[in-house]
Amino acid sequence: MESKIITQLINSAQNAQKNAHAPYSGFQVGAAVLTQDDRIFSGCNVENAAYPLGQCAEATAIGSMVTDGTKIIKAVVIASPNEELCFPCGGCRQKLAEFAEDATPVYMVTAKGHIEKHTVGDLLPHAFRLRHDGTTDKA
Ligand code: THU
């Protein structure tokens, strides 16, 4: 993948991260997805006083993408607030797998810009997916 577009994705994720609503964890996360038609959607985590209602940054970005009428992700960036990579939670791995292929790259970036590349498939091997006719890949 072109480094220029990855830089744009990182900028977009880090800008969204600044708006994170994370007063309970103090852990601000940003995410950005690149769609098949080369659009970028970003999101931040949105926590709630009722803790289980909090939403991850990836979910916010995905929701924005789907709302805008697009459903195919070809790259993901997740921006962490410190020097440890922010690996997506289990639920977000499944959410990403809904709209991406196993080979889709997931770039994790630290606050100082250290980047590590993974894929949707290595983060969630053997993902459960349904075809649009309701059958599974394994059927
Ligand atoms: N969080 C994300 O937004 N994305 C991740 O990939 C991992 C965790 C959020 C959830 C919560 O608001 C905060 O980080 C601490 O867990």
Side-chain angles (χ1 to χ4, degrees), residues 25 27 29 45 47 56-58 86-89:
S25 71
F27 193 83
V29 183
N45 50 335
E47 297 183 351
C56 287
E58 297 89 325
C86 180
F87 279 81
C89 77

